[in-house]
Amino acid sequence: MESPQANEYHANYQKYFDLVPAGDYMEILHQNSVDSVTFFESIPSQRQDYRYAEGKWTVKDVVMHIIDTERVFSYRALAAARGDNETPVYRMDEELYARNVDVTDRTMSELISEFNAVRKATEYLFENLTDSQSQRWCNVVTHPMTARAIGYFLIGHVQHHIGVVRDKYLQQIK
């Protein structure tokens, strides 16, 4: 699957696309899956419920956000790939989702297992798209996207949050 053109997604998403390396999409997606699990498994238990500021998410909340976003955007890619460019898809209110899930009593291991399951479904979806299907559009009301743009976004989105966790949650750990 080829990289999307800049007109296949909203300009505000460019920061995510900039984090995706060049190369074969499926290889990059799989490596992103492996690297993400390795990174989140390496976070010390005393940091998993840490908030770097009042009102910010914990590391476990960030992982849950990644999982929720993967689910929502994979559905969007499915809708696009199957030719449904008419059904309106509204924006995901990430703060609403975060307020309505509680990961306090969940372990990082459980969250990583859930991420693996959701990501595996994403991998199955994208490995079976034709080039033509990957170029179809999803009717995201605020900013339509192609299936392939969504696929690349999913990689960049995880990379973005790994960078945030590394910079904001783990910088004091020596």
Side-chain angles (χ1 to χ4, degrees):
M1 183 167 73
E2 291 185 26
S3 299
Q5 301 297 310
N7 68 341
E8 296 179 41
Y9 54 87
H10 194 281
N12 289 345
Y13 282 1
Q14 189 62 50
K15 67 181 180 182
Y16 301 112
F17 290 89
D18 290 344
L19 298 173
V20 181
D24 177 84
Y25 173 77
M26 288 308 301
E27 289 176 14
I28 297 165
L29 180 63
H30 179 71
Q31 191 60 53
N32 178 258
S33 303
V34 171
D35 293 346
S36 300
V37 167
T38 300
F39 175 76
F40 285 109
E41 285 177 337
S42 75
I43 295 176
S45 59
Q46 69 270 21
R47 281 294 181 175
Q48 294 172 4
D49 290 307
Y50 171 74
R51 298 175 196 276
Y52 69 88
E54 182 69 31
K56 295 297 182 182
W57 295 342
T58 67
V59 174
K60 290 193 304 189
D61 290 329
V62 171
V63 175
M64 191 71 243
H65 164 71
I66 290 169
I67 294 166
D68 285 348
T69 302
E70 187 94 9
R71 281 188 170 110
V72 168
F73 277 75
S74 287
Y75 164 73
R76 292 175 180 187
L78 174 66
R82 298 302 188 256
D84 182 359
N85 63 356
E86 294 192 21
T87 302
V89 178
Y90 294 91
R91 71 177 281 281
M92 174 187 171
D93 184 341
E94 63 189 40
E95 294 298 333
L96 172 74
Y97 279 54
R99 280 192 309 272
N100 287 289
V101 67
D102 183 2
V103 296
T104 307
D105 293 329
R106 295 192 61 192
T107 67
M108 183 63 82
S109 178
E110 290 170 337
L111 291 167
I112 289 169
S113 290
E114 186 174 350
F115 169 78
N116 276 329
V118 172
R119 176 51 70 91
K120 189 63 181 171
T122 299
E123 290 176 5
Y124 281 130
L125 173 65
F126 281 98
E127 76 184 0
N128 291 295
L129 292 188
T130 66
D131 190 52
S132 175
Q133 290 168 329
S134 77
Q135 294 177 53
R136 293 178 183 161
W137 291 83
C138 178
N139 186 19
V140 182
V141 173
T142 55
H143 54 277
M145 294 178 78
T146 61
R148 68 183 180 185
I150 293 166
Y152 277 80
F153 165 82
L154 287 170
I155 295 168
H157 179 256
V158 175
Q159 287 303 111
H160 166 75
H161 283 291
I162 285 174
V164 170
V165 169
R166 191 176 280 128
D167 294 345
K168 301 280 188 176
Y169 295 79
L170 304 177
Q171 75 273 15
Q172 297 92 350
I173 296 177
K174 300 289 183 212

